[in-house]
């Protein structure tokens, strides 16, 4: 597996989730498996999670919720598509049990007529069909709209209404059932879809608390409300996913690169992992080679120092899943080499907070360029110190010594962190990971003469000291 700092998430479906397949993705450079609950039941979720654990305890697992999503209902003929033509007048209704036809498009949101206004656009199936709202009868629950382009509509397709304030609850009953299954299986992260405000994150956290689960919440930013409320969402979340698919429908497409760059920068400054997702190698769903534009898109995200890049259809149902992972890993490695060659102490990110851990983490990263530190070692109780180190985007190896496998997987989405599990290792008195250092020497990861930076704690609550010394000197002094 290539030694890259940028992590890779792959989406896996229950139709192709065998142990050998997941192992091939892992060996090609995958760090995390994503499950999309919109297409999975309990049996599928269980199969994927079980097979991931069989391949490696290092693989992180993320499950998506559906979130506050609007969809059309089933067509009158569920197996057929409806052909709409430019200029057609159509009515929309919140009749959740009604069938959709050419004259009436029913949605799964009963109060839709109260949340929209004339002049807004209703975009269906990722924007394939565009309807302009002409009038709204909020009392009767009907919307009249004009079709702006030719297109076909299948059953239960996604609906986006840019600029609207949709008041759907943060979690559906299906989401709650999904979280219960995920908690039972020990899934590591939940990526909550269509996050509008920090309140949505608080609702998910309350559900996890009720389940007794310590799953970490990733906020998917994919609508204008999420962009507008990003700062408060960021503070409420473990990490962020820049979900460019629906986001590119909700906001002008030319804004996406700017939004992506701004979100990545804010996440790095506040020590939150950030994932860039959607259509990164979309052409490889059907083709063995990517386009040059896709390669540049991946490179851009790596240059911006995203923690993770995500593949969706490329690995869920594409014809070349392993090749897609290898391609992404190869681009990440090449760009990272370029970044390492130009890194100086001056362009390592500056402190954006007053945390002692943040200060010590930055000094550890700076020590590589200033005095030739070969690696950074951090004890990882919950992974906070390691995440702080990751946010300064150094180029030398960062080894996190974890005493829980759960912590090791939480760090699977953090830039440059190589996590190792040592059972029942961490105590306040045992501040130096001596067993790990000896193992690293035996594995050829370090030599006795290598100078390393060790971040530890005197009180078990985040890093409170930094020692820079030769590996052998640390081992000798600890006797």
């Amino acid at each position: 597996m290539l030694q890259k700092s940028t992590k890779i998430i792959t989406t896996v479906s229950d139709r192709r989730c065998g142990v050998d397949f997941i192992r091939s993705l892992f060996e090609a450079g995958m760090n995390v498996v994503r499950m999309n609950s919109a297409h999975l039941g309990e049996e599928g979720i269980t199969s994927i999670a079980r097979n991931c654990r069989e391949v490696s305890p290092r693989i992180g697992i993320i499950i998506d919720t559906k979130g506050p999503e609007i969809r059309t209902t089933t067509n009158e003929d569920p197996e057929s598509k409806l052909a709409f033509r430019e200029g057609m007048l159509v009515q929309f209704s919140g009749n959740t049990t009604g069938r959709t036809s050419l004259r009436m498009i029913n949605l799964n949101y009963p109060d839709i007529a109260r949340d929209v206004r004339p002049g807004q656009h209703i975009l269906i199936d990722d924007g394939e069909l565009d309807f302009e709202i002409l009038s709204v009868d909020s009392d009767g629950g009907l919307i009249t709209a004009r079709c702006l382009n030719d297109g076909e509509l299948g059953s239960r397709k996604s609906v986006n209404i840019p600029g609207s304030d949709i008041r759907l609850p943060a979690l559906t009953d299906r989401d709650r059932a999904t979280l219960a299954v995920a908690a039972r299986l020990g899934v590591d992260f939940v990526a909550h879809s269509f996050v509008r405000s920090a309140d949505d994150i608080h609702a998910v956290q309350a559900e996890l608390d009720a389940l007794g689960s310590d799953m970490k919440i990733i906020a998917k930013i994919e609508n204008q409300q999420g962009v507008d409320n990003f700062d408060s969402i960021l503070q409420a979340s473990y990490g962020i996913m820049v979900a460019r698919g629906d986001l590119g429908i909700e906001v002008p497409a030319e804004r996406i690169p700017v939004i992506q760059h701004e979100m990545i920068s804010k996440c790095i400054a506040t020590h939150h992992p950030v994932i860039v997702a959607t259509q990164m190698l979309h052409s490889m769903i059907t083709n063995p080679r990517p386009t040059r534009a896709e390669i540049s898109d991946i490179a851009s995200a790596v240059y911006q120092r995203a923690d993770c890049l995500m593949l969706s259809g490329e690995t869920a149902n594409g014809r070349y899943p392993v090749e897609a992972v290898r391609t992404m890993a190869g681009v990440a490695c090449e760009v990272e080499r370029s970044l390492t060659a130009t890194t100086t102490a001056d362009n390592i990110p500056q402190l954006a907070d007053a945390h002692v851990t943040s200060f010590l983490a930055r000094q550890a990263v700076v020590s590589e360029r200033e005095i030739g530190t070969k690696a950074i070692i951090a004890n990882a109780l919950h992974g906070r110190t390691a995440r702080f180190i990751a946010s300064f985007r150094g180029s030398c190896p960062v080894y996190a010594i974890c005493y829980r496998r759960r912590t090791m997987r939480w760090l699977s989405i953090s830039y440059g962190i190589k996590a190792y599990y040592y059972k029942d290792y961490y105590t306040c008195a045992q501040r130096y990971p001596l067993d790990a250092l000896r193992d690293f020497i035996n594995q050829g990861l370090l030599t006795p003469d290598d100078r390393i930076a060790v971040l530890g704690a005197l009180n078990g609550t985040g890093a409170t000291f930094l020692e820079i010394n030769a590996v052998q000197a640390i081992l000798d002094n600890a006797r």
Side-chain angles (χ1 to χ4, degrees):
M1 184 166 61
L2 293 173
Q3 295 302 308
K4 56 183 174 50
S5 293
T6 308
K7 305 298 179 67
I8 294 176
I9 301 172
T10 63
T11 305
V12 172
S13 78
D14 57 346
R15 294 187 297 274
R16 185 170 60 183
C17 67
V19 170
D20 290 343
F21 175 68
I22 293 174
R23 181 177 290 111
S24 68
L25 297 178
F26 183 62
E27 292 174 350
M30 172 266 284
N31 304 97
V32 181
V33 162
R34 167 184 174 250
M35 301 184 289
N36 187 351
S37 69
H39 306 294
L40 290 171
E42 181 175 353
E43 184 178 348
I45 295 170
T46 302
S47 296
I48 296 170
R50 181 182 62 242
N51 292 347
C52 285
R53 296 291 184 252
E54 184 172 339
V55 171
S56 173
R58 293 178 172 275
I59 297 174
I61 303 176
I62 294 177
I63 190 161
D64 281 18
T65 59
K66 286 175 64 64
E69 179 187 38
I70 301 177
R71 285 187 175 270
T72 64
T73 62
T74 303
N75 290 350
E76 287 182 330
D77 181 355
E79 304 303 320
S80 299
K81 293 184 177 182
L82 301 170
F84 288 89
R85 295 292 177 259
E86 181 180 352
M88 288 177 60
L89 295 182
V90 182
Q91 287 192 313
F92 286 81
S93 169
N95 182 0
T96 60
T97 60
R99 295 294 182 97
T100 287
S101 67
L102 284 172
R103 291 177 290 104
M104 178 69 72
I105 298 177
N106 287 301
L107 307 178
N108 67 344
Y109 178 38
D111 293 329
I112 184 64
R114 299 185 183 276
D115 290 350
V116 299
R117 61 184 183 274
Q120 288 184 314
H121 289 247
I122 300 177
L123 305 174
I124 301 181
D125 195 10
D126 294 336
E128 291 296 318
L129 278 167
D130 185 355
F131 297 86
E132 182 183 7
I133 298 175
L134 301 178
S135 63
V136 178
D137 177 4
S138 56
D139 293 331
L142 292 177
I143 300 164
T144 302
R146 178 187 294 113
C147 185
L148 299 183
N149 66 291
D150 295 350
E152 295 184 329
L153 175 62
S155 295
R156 299 187 52 75
K157 294 300 180 181
S158 62
V159 176
N160 295 85
I161 309 174
S164 62
D165 186 8
I166 301 300
R167 293 171 293 176
L168 282 166
L171 288 167
T172 65
D173 290 341
R174 177 167 178 169
D175 288 335
R176 291 186 175 87
T178 295
L179 290 177
V181 173
R184 175 174 57 79
L185 293 172
V187 170
D188 305 294
F189 308 94
V190 52
H192 189 48
S193 299
F194 300 101
V195 173
R196 301 159 296 185
S197 70
D199 289 342
D200 288 354
I201 301 300
H202 297 324
V204 178
Q205 188 61 62
E207 190 70 20
L208 294 178
D209 291 345
L211 292 167
S213 171
D214 58 359
M215 268 188 287
K216 302 303 184 184
I217 303 173
I218 308 298
K220 294 176 67 177
I221 307 300
E222 45 193 336
N223 53 40
Q224 185 64 57
Q225 291 170 280
V227 174
D228 294 340
N229 298 316
F230 181 75
D231 291 347
S232 59
I233 292 170
L234 176 61
Q235 292 307 313
S237 307
Y238 181 85
I240 294 292
M241 182 186 294
V242 187
R244 304 177 306 177
D246 281 281
L247 186 60
I249 300 169
E250 291 272 341
V251 305
E254 62 271 17
R255 284 281 301 156
I256 299 301
V258 177
I259 292 170
Q260 174 178 310
H261 178 70
E262 291 175 348
M263 289 184 180
I264 291 173
S265 297
K266 288 183 176 182
C267 288
I268 292 173
T270 54
H271 319 295
H272 290 76
V274 57
I275 302 160
V276 176
T278 317
Q279 294 187 336
M280 302 209 79
L281 287 172
H282 189 70
S283 70
M284 291 192 74
I285 292 176
T286 55
N287 299 312
R289 294 175 61 85
T291 67
R292 275 59 168 178
E294 289 168 337
I295 295 297
S296 295
D297 183 37
I298 294 171
S300 177
V302 178
Y303 274 121
Q304 292 171 10
R305 300 303 186 100
D307 288 88
C308 283
L309 310 178
M310 194 175 91
L311 295 167
S312 299
E314 300 94 333
T315 51
N317 51 47
R319 294 173 60 186
Y320 303 97
V322 176
E323 292 83 353
V325 176
R326 287 184 185 139
T327 297
M328 181 171 277
V331 175
C333 284
E334 190 66 29
V335 174
E336 287 167 13
R337 279 194 288 269
S338 170
L339 289 168
T340 299
T342 59
T343 297
T344 68
D346 291 332
N347 59 26
I348 291 170
Q350 295 297 316
L351 290 176
D353 52 53
H355 289 296
V356 172
T357 300
S358 184
F359 174 80
L360 295 176
R362 187 178 190 278
Q363 300 316 302
V365 173
V366 169
S367 72
E368 176 199 1
R369 306 301 298 188
E370 295 291 312
I371 58 176
T373 300
K374 299 297 184 184
I376 301 172
I377 313 292
N379 284 321
L381 183 60
H382 298 291
R384 178 174 177 266
T385 297
R387 293 198 308 274
F388 274 56
I389 298 169
S391 66
F392 292 104
R393 301 303 197 250
S395 55
C396 74
V398 180
Y399 300 130
I401 312 305
C402 308
Y403 85 106
R404 294 189 304 167
R405 287 194 173 95
R406 185 77 151 171
T407 303
M408 183 172 63
R409 292 192 291 268
W410 284 338
L411 293 172
S412 64
I413 63 171
S414 290
Y415 185 93
I417 302 298
K418 298 171 176 61
Y420 294 86
Y421 169 64
Y422 283 79
K423 182 180 180 182
D424 298 330
Y425 177 78
Y426 184 91
T427 67
C428 293
Q430 183 70 26
R431 297 190 298 273
Y432 296 94
L434 305 179
D435 292 342
L437 291 180
R438 296 186 186 99
D439 288 345
F440 293 162
I441 291 172
N442 292 334
Q443 296 169 25
L445 298 175
L446 295 172
T447 71
D449 295 330
D450 281 342
R451 180 180 288 169
I452 63 172
V454 180
L455 277 84
L458 298 174
N459 55 14
T461 57
T464 57
F465 76 86
L466 167 65
E467 177 173 350
I468 299 176
N469 210 337
V471 175
Q472 191 60 55
I474 292 174
L475 293 173
D476 291 343
N477 293 339
R479 290 175 180 171

